[in-house]
Amino acid sequence: MGMELDPAAWRVLLDGFPAPVLVLNARRVVIEANRQAREIFGSHLLNHDLAHSLRQPAALEAANAVLNGAPHKVSPLMLAAPVQRFFELHALPVQSQGKDGGDGYVH
C-alpha cells in the first residue's frame, strides 16, 4: 500500500529538503530535481544522464551501484565551483509505479 502524491505535493516535498535532491530513473536519467539542486547544477540537468551535469566519479559510482542492486551507498562529494561545497551523497532505491503501469525505479 503506497501513498500517491499529486505533482504539486511532490514538488513541495522535494523543495522542502535543505540539500540538493536528484531523482533518477533506471537509466540514470535525472527526472526530478529540487530547487536546491537546480540552483547548484542548473535546470538543464533534467532529462539527461546524471553524468551530463555531475562529473564526479564517486557520485556516478554510487548511482550505478544502486541501479545494479545495492541497497544504499554513501559517498563524500565536493563541488569546487562557483564556491567550494562539501556534501555527503546518499544514493538509495525507491520503487514507484511507472507511467506505463509497470514498476519503475527512481534513485
Side-chain angles (χ1 to χ4, degrees), residues 10-100:
W10 177 245
R11 174 64 42 217
V12 169
L13 177 67
L14 279 180
D15 286 344
F17 285 98
V21 175
L22 300 176
V23 180
L24 312 178
N25 67 15
R27 292 179 307 279
R28 209 175 71 176
V29 172
V30 179
I31 59 172
E32 291 285 348
N34 70 348
R35 182 183 66 247
Q36 293 76 359
R38 292 188 312 272
E39 287 174 2
I40 291 170
F41 304 111
S43 60
H44 65 277
L45 64 94
L46 292 172
N47 302 313
H48 293 283
D49 185 280
L50 180 62
H52 181 78
S53 295
L54 186 58
R55 297 173 190 260
Q56 297 282 329
L60 300 176
E61 288 171 13
N64 289 338
V66 170
L67 287 169
N68 288 313
H72 183 216
K73 295 295 280 185
V74 179
S75 175
L77 177 68
M78 191 273 294
L79 301 176
V83 176
Q84 190 173 37
R85 298 180 192 185
F86 295 90
F87 297 95
E88 184 174 71
L89 178 136
H90 290 261
L92 56 137
V94 179
Q95 188 172 359
S96 70
Q97 189 69 22
K99 291 180 182 178
D100 61 359

